[in-house]
Amino acid sequence: MTRLLILVSVFFGFLLSNAASSSSSKETPSLLEPFRSSFVSPDYAGCVTLYKRGRAEGCGTMSRDVQSGIIVEYNNDAGRMDQDYVVLLPESYLTRENIETILAQNNGQGRLQGILITNETLSSSRVQHNPSAMNPLGKKTPSQAQTYGNDYPWNPYGQKLVHLDFQGTPMVYLRDNEVGKSLQSSGEENSGNHAVKASFNYYMGPPDADMDSIQCLQWQDAADGVWRPKCLPLGGHSVWSRVVGQQSDDNNNNRRSLLDEKRLLEENNDNNNNQKPLLMVTARMDAMSLFHDLDFGANQAASNIMAIMLAAKMIGQVSDFSSLGKEIVFSLFQGESFGYLGSRRFLLDILGFECKSDPVPSVSKNQDSGEMACLYPLRPSLEFSNLNGNNIAGMLVVDQIGVLTTKKNFYVHADKTDFGAYLTNILVGLSNDDGYTISESYIESDDDEYPLDEDDVTLPPTPLISLLSVTNGASGGAILAGYDNAFVTTYGSRHDVKINYSAIAAAATTLARATVAAAYGEEDDDYETALAYAMEQIPDALSSKDDFLLQLGSCLTNQANCQLLKQYASMEAKTEAERTGLSMGIGSYLGRSDAQEGVERSEANYYVSVFSGQPYVTVGNSYYGAYHPEDAESKYGKDSSDAFSLQPSLLEQAVRGMLNDFLGRPSNVELKSCQSTKDCNKVEYCSSSSRSICTGGNVCVCGPQAHYHLALDEGLEATPNERSTGYFTVLDGYYSALYTEPFWDNHVGVQIYVDSLMPTMDYVTLGLGLFLFAASWMSGRRLRAWLRVEKLF
């Protein structure tokens, strides 16, 4: 009987508890869905900490402790909260003014625990702000020492959020629009029995005001005094290429003795003066935004890459280069968004690189042939020393041509050199009244903050700035751009996702023809004759429906990690592995993988990231980021397995593979098919059988014509004789930005959960259940005692 009463009371308590729970759920459904069961890790992109020479920029917590708070909507009363809170900010409100207001409200209170940015589907016409600076890479930015000429607000809607210091305030962007809507409802109703909270585990290194890149790179463990850097510099690998028909057999075969190689470097490229002057055709291949996983860069990066690759493909089909007076060099520079990392490093090296050790074969078993390398400062290839760096005729740059600010109109931005004026005449002369027109840009400003002097150079931030800077204006050029006096509104934002294939096809055709014309003529020549020659060599314009254009465009925007990129990248990795004997695979993907969900994202991401693919050299059984033989026990080359190598990204590998394919094909020959470079050993149409490779197009071409070049801050070099990569020496006399990214905590992330703030009904239900249980127990004892007295038990 007692047991029956207890069971009845427990069952009754369960019904009450369930009813209370149901009632609570019905009253506040938005607070419990979709965050009912437990902690939820939303799909997000984070704002990360970056160190530089000065104060850090970006986001992070002050310590390894988790920061949590109730989620509230952004309003003027948020700063008066009497409990820890997290601000929910719609994307359209992400302005410098609003962010500074949120931070100011928290001043002295310490209640603000983080910021959640919700996804909004905004049309480009509504995007009237972006997180980049108004004058990207210009004055009053970390890269101001690398700028050249006037400071001009090319990005008038820029908020300069990318350079703010958010230390102590983690901030993430919520990708899922539905999650944002649910949280917005939660923020409105965060009262009553439950509340939705956000928890940030977002420690990204010491937030000390004195912490900078130099201290971070030189960090020593206080316990044992061992050098253990706490960050890595930003960087990657640029890709540059020559054209197979333009070099003499001697240069193309690269058969110089070690003594010749050393003399070449000591003479600072003086013996290249008999070569043709260089015409550099360049662009950037990276992008920048506040949330680095949202650097989609369709116009900022992808359109540039497409124009360069398509123009290279068209020029590779030119049958005769004998009439060209300049050597064409294509290049795509990495890390331009963080201080022109790629272009400055490449230009400084071809102008005067000094190898402080004897040049050695890049693969020790190839003592008599193959590429040469330098142990210190480490360069895995010295192919750049073959270029005539002391005679750069000029530079032709393409920039942001996937979205045009004026319908069917490109603009030319040129410096005040003679070659800049010559390129302007060529580009404007390629206007097509029936298609796309090309106009000379005219910049003026009445803004007191950005005064312009008509005698100064006013150019947008592109690799041309690097050329003007390192040559002090001696060499110049022009830019073919999709904008006149201002970038498109999506610049530097996550809304840079669309491109116009028709515009890119027109830009690629213009770029190819302008390259041939500029390589044909001289500044004081009749440019119309040069244009006529270019039209003869490239008579057909590229169609916007070209299969390769459409496939490449898809790969570089919304179908990253596509088979085309993997095909070229995997062949490059295979060829390098065969050459060096060192293991190599496909590098980091262009579309980032979601570690939690185990899926690849389809959209491309053009953040340069940390320099994790650092070149290295193996000596014996050890590998080094650089090697100084005079201070080392072992000598490079003693072991036949000694070699130089590096690990480029998927994009960098694919770009090199395509340039090798397009620019390594001799004219008027039937190409041999291949599955690996081993199949190309007996190719007769190349000047030497050992100078032929297999490409991702599965044909044997002459080369390699394309090469990697490190894109690393000019103020850094890999430290010699450290038995690992990741150790860098900060050089004296440089004033570059010196961006680094600290090592993250292993559990960095954000979680959202339901917290019971006022569980009164739960307590009442539990108390009633306990009371019924106690009453039933006492009743049972009394009943049992009475039955014994009555002798009924």
Side-chain angles (χ1 to χ4, degrees):
M1 184 69 177
T2 302
R3 295 177 181 176
L4 179 61
L5 287 172
I6 292 175
L7 288 173
V8 169
S9 65
V10 171
F11 178 70
F12 181 65
F14 170 76
L15 290 177
L16 283 174
S17 176
N18 186 61
S21 177
S22 299
S23 174
S24 176
S25 176
K26 290 178 181 178
E27 289 174 359
T28 56
S30 63
L31 298 183
L32 302 181
E33 297 289 349
F35 316 108
R36 173 189 291 276
S37 59
S38 60
F39 287 79
V40 173
S41 296
D43 189 5
Y44 72 93
C47 165
V48 305
T49 296
L50 292 178
Y51 294 138
K52 51 186 189 297
R53 287 189 187 271
R55 189 177 179 87
E57 60 187 43
C59 310
T61 57
M62 299 297 288
S63 70
R64 297 183 187 275
D65 295 336
V66 173
Q67 293 185 186
S68 302
I70 186 172
I71 296 175
V72 298
E73 286 192 293
Y74 168 64
N75 56 59
N76 294 329
D77 297 325
R80 290 190 280 272
M81 294 283 293
D82 59 357
Q83 59 180 309
D84 293 342
Y85 65 95
V86 172
V87 171
L88 190 69
L89 186 69
E91 182 181 3
S92 57
Y93 286 76
L94 182 56
T95 65
R96 186 184 182 98
E97 179 181 0
N98 289 339
I99 290 295
E100 289 180 339
T101 297
I102 292 172
L103 298 179
Q105 288 175 342
N106 184 54
N107 187 30
Q109 302 298 318
R111 291 293 192 181
L112 176 64
Q113 301 299 302
I115 301 173
L116 298 174
I117 308 298
T118 58
N119 181 344
E120 290 183 300
T121 303
L122 302 176
S123 65
S124 59
S125 61
R126 287 186 58 198
V127 181
Q128 295 298 313
H129 58 82
N130 59 60
S132 296
M134 292 181 68
N135 57 334
L137 302 176
K139 295 177 182 178
K140 297 183 181 180
T141 72
S143 302
Q144 62 181 349
Q146 279 72 47
T147 193
Y148 184 89
N150 270 321
D151 208 33
Y152 177 77
W154 295 99
N155 184 35
Y157 300 110
Q159 299 289 304
K160 207 176 182 179
L161 290 172
V162 293
H163 299 308
L164 283 184
D165 180 6
F166 294 92
Q167 288 301 306
T169 307
M171 179 165 60
V172 301
Y173 175 88
L174 300 174
R175 292 174 179 263
D176 194 324
N177 188 37
E178 293 304 315
V179 170
K181 291 179 180 178
S182 179
L183 286 176
Q184 186 174 5
S185 299
S186 301
E188 295 170 351
E189 303 173 12
N190 255 341
S191 60
N193 292 339
H194 298 84
V196 177
K197 288 187 172 183
S199 175
F200 292 87
N201 187 343
Y202 228 74
Y203 180 71
M204 294 187 176
D208 305 350
D210 296 332
M211 178 57 65
D212 58 18
S213 289
I214 296 176
Q215 294 187 59
C216 186
L217 290 168
Q218 297 176 345
W219 187 283
Q220 292 186 353
D221 196 314
D224 53 19
V226 175
W227 184 14
R228 293 190 178 94
K230 295 295 183 182
C231 57
L232 281 176
L234 300 189
H237 303 282
S238 302
V239 185
W240 66 275
S241 181
R242 309 172 90 172
V243 184
V244 67
Q246 284 207 274
Q247 309 109 45
S248 66
D249 285 345
D250 179 62
N251 284 333
N252 188 46
N253 292 336
N254 190 32
R255 296 296 182 266
R256 284 197 298 262
S257 67
L258 297 183
L259 184 60
D260 291 337
E261 193 78 34
K262 182 174 177 59
R263 186 179 69 251
L264 168 66
L265 293 168
E266 289 177 344
E267 293 174 358
N268 194 25
N269 294 339
D270 285 343
N271 64 343
N272 278 345
N273 285 339
N274 293 328
Q275 294 179 351
K276 296 177 180 179
L278 298 182
L279 171 62
M280 301 185 65
V281 185
T282 73
R284 66 191 296 169
M285 62 186 300
D286 68 298
M288 181 185 188
S289 73
L290 180 60
F291 304 101
H292 293 159
D293 281 345
L294 302 179
D295 289 348
F296 300 145
N299 186 45
Q300 193 177 352
S303 71
N304 299 343
I305 299 170
M306 292 178 67
I308 290 289
M309 303 309 293
L310 293 164
K313 192 170 187 287
M314 298 174 75
I315 286 179
Q317 296 168 356
V318 171
S319 59
D320 182 18
F321 291 98
S322 60
S323 299
L324 301 186
K326 303 179 184 68
E327 180 181 356
I328 300 168
V329 175
F330 284 94
S331 53
L332 280 166
F333 292 124
Q334 186 66 277
E336 294 295 281
S337 301
F338 294 91
Y340 306 105
L341 300 182
S343 59
R344 287 188 63 87
R345 176 68 75 162
F346 181 74
L347 290 167
L348 289 170
D349 276 0
I350 68 171
L351 285 168
F353 174 74
E354 179 185 0
C355 183
K356 298 179 181 179
S357 60
D358 287 341
V360 296
S362 61
V363 179
S364 63
K365 61 185 179 182
N366 298 333
Q367 291 288 336
D368 300 323
S369 62
E371 294 185 5
M372 307 303 294
C374 182
L375 290 165
Y376 179 70
L378 190 137
R379 298 292 186 274
S381 170
L382 290 175
E383 281 292 308
F384 64 86
S385 64
N386 292 331
L387 298 175
N388 193 359
N390 286 336
N391 191 358
I392 301 175
M395 182 179 284
L396 176 55
V397 182
V398 62
D399 190 48
Q400 301 179 56
I401 44 75
V403 179
L404 307 184
T405 57
T406 304
K407 187 176 181 180
K408 287 198 169 187
N409 199 111
F410 297 107
Y411 291 91
V412 181
H413 302 262
D415 56 43
K416 299 183 182 300
T417 63
D418 291 340
F419 195 71
Y422 184 63
L423 281 176
T424 299
N425 288 333
I426 288 174
L427 288 166
V428 173
L430 287 168
S431 288
N432 185 343
D433 293 337
D434 296 328
Y436 285 79
T437 57
I438 303 173
S439 307
E440 184 176 358
S441 177
Y442 179 72
I443 304 298
E444 60 180 355
S445 174
D446 55 2
D447 191 335
D448 293 337
E449 186 176 355
Y450 300 97
L452 297 184
D453 188 326
E454 63 179 11
D455 295 328
D456 287 341
V457 175
T458 305
L459 290 172
T462 67
L464 182 55
I465 292 291
S466 294
L467 178 62
L468 290 163
S469 176
V470 300
T471 65
N472 197 26
S475 295
I479 305 162
L480 177 66
Y483 51 84
D484 182 12
N485 57 3
F487 294 161
V488 295
T489 59
T490 56
Y491 176 88
S493 78
R494 72 105 181 166
H495 297 281
D496 184 7
V497 294
K498 295 182 179 181
I499 49 178
N500 184 323
Y501 285 180
S502 176
I504 292 174
T509 302
T510 299
L511 185 64
R513 289 170 173 168
T515 297
V516 173
Y520 176 84
E522 299 294 337
E523 292 91 318
D524 53 356
D525 287 348
D526 178 7
Y527 71 90
E528 293 180 349
T529 301
L531 282 176
Y533 176 81
M535 294 299 293
E536 290 178 4
Q537 297 298 316
I538 307 176
D540 299 324
L542 182 67
S543 169
S544 61
K545 299 185 183 302
D546 178 80
D547 289 341
F548 181 75
L549 180 152
L550 297 176
Q551 189 177 7
L552 182 61
S554 176
C555 289
L556 295 179
T557 53
N558 55 19
Q559 294 296 325
N561 312 331
C562 68
Q563 186 56 39
L564 176 67
L565 298 184
K566 291 180 179 178
Q567 176 181 332
Y568 276 95
S570 61
M571 184 61 75
E572 280 298 306
K574 184 177 181 180
T575 299
E576 282 299 291
E578 291 176 358
R579 185 181 73 88
T580 64
L582 300 173
S583 176
M584 179 181 290
I586 294 179
S588 57
Y589 279 7
L590 179 60
R592 301 304 170 88
S593 297
D594 191 316
Q596 295 175 342
E597 300 297 333
V599 297
E600 296 176 15
R601 299 200 181 283
S602 59
E603 68 267 13
N605 188 296
Y606 290 96
Y607 173 50
V608 64
S609 193
V610 295
F611 195 38
S612 57
Q614 179 183 344
Y616 64 91
V617 58
T618 59
V619 181
N621 295 322
S622 302
Y623 67 95
Y624 305 84
Y627 197 71
H628 205 303
E630 296 180 1
D631 301 329
E633 298 178 359
S634 301
K635 183 178 180 180
Y636 175 84
K638 186 176 181 180
D639 194 317
S640 62
S641 64
D642 292 353
F644 291 73
S645 189
L646 52 88
Q647 179 58 72
S649 68
L650 166 68
L651 175 63
E652 293 159 355
Q653 289 173 310
V655 165
R656 186 193 184 199
M658 291 180 190
L659 288 176
N660 275 328
D661 193 348
F662 303 154
L663 300 177
R665 299 188 178 206
S667 59
N668 303 319
V669 298
E670 182 178 349
L671 300 177
K672 180 182 178 181
S673 61
C674 59
Q675 295 301 317
S676 74
T677 294
K678 293 179 180 179
D679 298 333
C680 302
N681 287 337
K682 297 183 179 180
V683 170
E684 297 179 354
Y685 48 75
C686 295
S687 57
S688 172
S689 61
S690 62
R691 298 296 292 176
S692 55
I693 60 171
C694 186
T695 72
N698 295 118
V699 292
C700 295
V701 300
C702 304
Q705 302 300 327
H707 305 275
Y708 301 114
H709 201 88
L710 76 161
L712 180 68
D713 192 287
E714 64 204 75
L716 294 175
E717 286 290 358
T719 303
N721 302 348
E722 291 289 336
R723 294 199 176 192
S724 180
T725 55
Y727 296 89
F728 295 90
T729 299
V730 180
L731 306 178
D732 295 331
Y734 290 88
Y735 303 95
S736 51
L738 202 61
Y739 276 103
T740 62
E741 185 176 312
F743 299 138
W744 294 9
D745 186 282
N746 291 332
H747 305 289
V748 162
V750 60
Q751 293 181 314
I752 298 173
Y753 62 99
V754 177
D755 187 29
S756 295
L757 298 176
M758 299 177 62
T760 305
M761 193 63 185
D762 294 341
Y763 288 142
V764 170
T765 302
L766 177 61
L768 183 58
L770 290 174
F771 172 77
L772 290 173
F773 173 79
S776 300
W777 184 76
M778 291 296 297
S779 298
R781 287 183 60 86
R782 289 175 176 271
L783 178 61
R784 185 176 180 179
W786 179 79
L787 291 174
R788 283 180 175 175
V789 171
E790 298 295 328
K791 299 183 184 288
L792 297 176
F793 181 77

